[in-house]
Amino acid sequence: MVNPNPISNKYMDIELMPNSSQEVTFSTFGESGTNTAQMEFSTFPQMDFNRRLQYLIQYPHGCVEQTTSSVFPQLYLSDLFDMTAQQKQNTQYYIKEGIKALGMFQNPDGGMGYWRGDRTADDWGTSYAGHFMLEAEKKGYALPLTFKTNWLKYQKQAAKTWRPTYRSYNTDLAQAYRLYTLALAGQPDLAAMNRLREFAEISNEGRWRLAGAYALAGQKEVAKQLVNQSNIEIISNTYDYYTYGSVDRNRAMAMETLLLINDKKYVEMSKTIARELSTDHWMSTQSTAYSLLAMAKMVEKGGGKSIDVNYQLSTISEHVKTQQAIALRTTKLAEGSYKVNFTNKGSSVVFIRVLYSGKLPVGEEVSSNRNLNVMVIYETPEGKPIDIGKLMQGTDFKAKVTVTNNSGNFIDNVALTQIFPSGWEIINTDFAGYGTTTTQIADFIDIRDDRVNFYFDLGGNKSKTFEVDLNASYLGKYYRYGAQAEAMYNNEYFARTKGAWVDVVK
């Protein structure tokens, strides 16, 4: 049985002065076999790079934005981290798989759908994924055949035909990013850049990204003028669903521009980004990836002092000595209490985070509701209620999962995940959608052996219901997991139900 609970983390931070020692203690928690300890050593103030990166790698959904976010920061790991050969091999594998997966999102016109199979290109996803592909190519990775040619063709056409809009959102940032990627590819569209520069209502974040495009095109004086016209404090006022953006993401993009023009204000901005990364506050995949990316580029540019630390954890003793800015060591643990001794043998202050992780046992997950509600009922094929606590083998029945938006706000990109017991089989892929606003079932449905993921938008104070036909196939006692719904880019909308044990009997 797969434990569906997410990995939980606890951590302790140490600031280890030169030629000093310190000891910390901790006890493992969660299910046996899921316990690990990670020591992150850095010559920069703690930004919790590894914990945030693991969040991206382990994120279960796979649209074009999230697929890109999971691998983009990994391009820079070998530049930042003192990595073992196995860690380097794993990173290269993830990047190659990410490149392969992203190639499957591309349409014949060169644009990229938000989900595989989408025939309408997602503006931001196309630029974001293409940005990653260009940087990956520069790092020596091979791109899918014809990907770059078709992508450039799409970007050039979209840049030429773009016109400002005056809806509830403005697309100038998406245009600025598109122009940025063309400049990065060595094919800047200066005419389109000049048109956008002259747009009287260009947004603050659009101006920042356009400045980056000019810098890449070799016009750094123009870039500096745009930066001087931009507000460095108020990077954005609100969450922008059109570009999956946030204040954190926009700040990171602004810092990327400051690095391109070698404006030393990036130093103070990097401290803010590092502080945000090291807190426990939630970040979307887009905000997380871009913040890590900006910090990686800053460390790559600024370099770092060497690390020279001894540590001993149980029977493991290691001397971590490297010229890299960050070093990471990970070990699996048995259940119990542990002491870790650190000795800084070098002349630099070393910032250490001890991160210890585990999964809460099945049945100990906590139900939760934030502006969303999830209700699951089970019925016979005829629509009568059925007790699923004890089912006869061979029984056909169905799950009806209803997600309700308790707020008056429209929510985009909602993910509903329903994992079923391994003794039950999903026996249909023809889902019926109900509800007051349902004109289509979902934007995308991902069917696995043991679960179904639905992705959709949900209006204010509206509900959507999805049906899944099931069969009680295998004798035994199984755990029925709770259902989970979340707005993937807004943590204010989340719901999870508790699970329970069920039997399949003769």
Side-chain angles (χ1 to χ4, degrees):
M1 180 178 68
V2 176
N3 184 337
N5 290 328
I7 292 174
S8 298
N9 298 299
K10 298 180 181 180
Y11 61 86
M12 295 173 290
D13 287 334
I14 304 166
E15 190 172 326
L16 196 59
M17 302 305 291
N19 302 306
S20 68
S21 298
Q22 198 165 335
E23 179 181 275
V24 296
T25 60
F26 66 91
S27 297
T28 59
F29 64 94
E31 197 171 73
S32 178
T34 68
N35 304 119
T36 59
Q38 297 174 330
M39 275 70 68
E40 185 176 309
F41 307 88
S42 175
T43 56
F44 292 87
Q46 186 54 246
M47 57 179 159
D48 214 357
F49 198 104
N50 187 62
R51 177 175 66 94
R52 294 290 188 178
L53 181 63
Q54 290 306 312
Y55 164 75
L56 295 175
I57 293 171
Q58 294 160 1
Y59 196 74
H61 309 298
C63 66
V64 69
E65 185 278 321
Q66 290 149 3
T67 302
T68 304
S69 291
S70 69
V71 289
F72 209 155
Q74 295 190 63
L75 282 178
Y76 296 90
L77 289 189
S78 60
D79 299 324
L80 293 177
F81 281 90
D82 174 62
M83 300 173 73
T84 65
Q86 185 62 51
Q87 286 171 329
K88 287 180 181 177
Q89 189 176 328
N90 291 345
T91 299
Q92 289 169 359
Y93 170 80
Y94 282 128
I95 293 170
K96 287 176 182 177
E97 287 298 303
I99 290 169
K100 191 189 305 179
L102 285 171
M104 298 176 186
F105 285 86
Q106 192 173 44
N107 292 325
D109 67 357
M112 303 180 75
Y114 184 75
W115 296 108
R116 291 186 196 183
D118 279 357
R119 289 304 168 201
T120 302
D122 182 272
D123 259 7
W124 192 264
T126 299
S127 293
Y128 186 47
H131 183 185
F132 161 74
M133 292 291 222
L134 292 174
E135 302 239 19
E137 185 180 49
K138 289 179 180 178
K139 291 284 187 183
Y141 290 93
L143 304 187
L145 198 64
T146 74
F147 175 90
K148 187 176 176 181
T149 303
N150 291 338
W151 176 82
L152 280 168
K153 182 180 174 183
Y154 176 88
Q155 292 291 83
K156 288 176 181 178
Q157 181 63 24
K160 280 189 177 71
T161 58
W162 177 84
R163 295 293 179 271
T165 60
Y166 300 91
R167 306 175 212 173
S168 57
Y169 56 84
N170 203 317
T171 60
D172 69 286
L173 175 57
Q175 171 72 344
Y177 195 19
R178 186 182 296 115
L179 295 169
Y180 178 96
T181 62
L182 286 171
L184 185 67
Q187 301 189 32
D189 185 338
L190 290 170
M193 288 162 64
N194 291 336
R195 281 199 307 273
L196 181 58
R197 184 185 174 195
E198 292 164 5
F199 175 43
E201 296 185 32
I202 186 171
S203 64
N204 190 53
E205 51 269 32
R207 192 182 290 110
W208 273 106
R209 186 81 312 198
L210 182 60
Y214 276 107
L216 288 170
Q219 297 196 16
K220 291 198 175 180
E221 288 308 312
V222 178
K224 289 175 183 177
Q225 288 172 20
L226 285 166
V227 165
N228 291 335
Q229 294 165 12
S230 303
N231 189 330
I232 203 165
E233 296 299 328
I234 306 171
I235 305 298
S236 177
N237 292 320
T238 57
Y239 162 68
D240 173 15
Y241 77 87
Y242 185 75
T243 71
Y244 320 109
S246 67
V247 171
D248 291 318
R249 195 283 308 277
N250 292 336
R251 183 182 290 115
M253 293 186 90
M255 190 175 102
E256 193 177 33
T257 296
L258 291 175
L259 287 165
L260 284 170
I261 62 174
N262 200 29
D263 186 323
K264 296 302 181 184
K265 287 194 287 288
Y266 76 76
V267 176
E268 284 305 310
M269 194 175 281
S270 71
K271 291 177 183 177
T272 302
I273 294 173
R275 186 167 60 248
E276 293 300 312
L277 283 169
S278 65
T279 66
D280 287 330
H281 92 245
W282 179 86
M283 283 186 177
S284 71
T285 48
Q286 172 85 179
S287 298
T288 302
Y290 233 105
S291 295
L292 295 181
L293 179 62
M295 292 302 293
K297 289 186 174 184
M298 186 273 293
V299 173
E300 185 183 39
K301 183 181 181 70
K305 298 175 183 176
S306 60
I307 296 169
D308 188 359
V309 175
N310 277 339
Y311 80 89
Q312 181 154 359
L313 169 61
S314 188
T315 58
I316 301 166
S317 181
E318 187 174 351
H319 184 193
V320 181
K321 188 170 184 178
T322 177
Q323 296 300 310
Q324 302 291 79
I326 304 171
L328 180 69
R329 297 294 183 266
T330 303
T331 183
K332 279 195 164 293
L333 298 175
E335 291 180 81
S337 297
Y338 291 88
K339 291 180 181 178
V340 196
N341 289 286
F342 297 100
T343 301
N344 185 355
K345 301 169 70 68
S347 57
S348 307
V349 176
V350 179
F351 300 90
I352 302 171
R353 172 158 287 190
V354 180
L355 182 78
Y356 50 112
S357 309
K359 281 189 175 186
L360 295 176
V362 168
E364 289 189 18
E365 67 273 22
V366 179
S367 60
S368 178
N369 295 82
R370 292 192 298 275
N371 295 313
L372 283 181
N373 187 65
V374 179
M375 182 176 67
V376 187
I377 61 172
Y378 296 90
E379 297 178 346
T380 66
E382 297 74 35
K384 296 180 180 177
I386 187 172
D387 177 12
I388 47 89
K390 185 175 286 188
L391 291 168
M392 298 273 291
Q393 186 180 25
T395 300
D396 288 329
F397 61 109
K398 61 186 175 182
K400 290 178 69 173
V401 189
T402 300
V403 182
T404 302
N405 178 0
N406 295 325
S407 78
N409 301 319
F410 176 86
I411 318 170
D412 67 306
N413 296 306
V414 178
L416 167 64
T417 301
Q418 178 66 73
I419 307 174
F420 296 104
S422 52
W424 299 358
E425 280 197 340
I426 300 169
I427 59 172
N428 82 314
T429 56
D430 181 21
F431 299 97
Y434 302 86
T436 54
T437 62
T438 304
T439 55
Q440 58 178 2
I441 300 169
D443 297 325
F444 187 71
I445 301 173
D446 181 17
I447 305 160
R448 310 284 179 91
D449 290 339
D450 65 339
R451 73 193 65 194
V452 182
N453 294 317
F454 298 92
Y455 302 93
F456 53 94
D457 299 336
L458 194 55
N461 299 308
K462 302 295 184 182
S463 298
K464 281 192 178 182
T465 298
F466 304 95
E467 286 189 9
V468 183
D469 290 343
L470 301 161
N471 178 268
S473 303
Y474 306 105
L475 296 173
K477 187 179 184 70
Y478 305 97
Y479 191 72
R480 176 184 61 77
Y481 307 101
Q484 178 170 305
E486 60 179 324
M488 293 189 291
Y489 299 99
N490 192 334
N491 198 41
E492 293 178 11
Y493 300 90
F494 179 87
R496 180 171 55 215
T497 63
K498 279 185 66 66
W501 291 94
V502 296
D503 291 310
V504 178
V505 299
K506 283 188 178 181

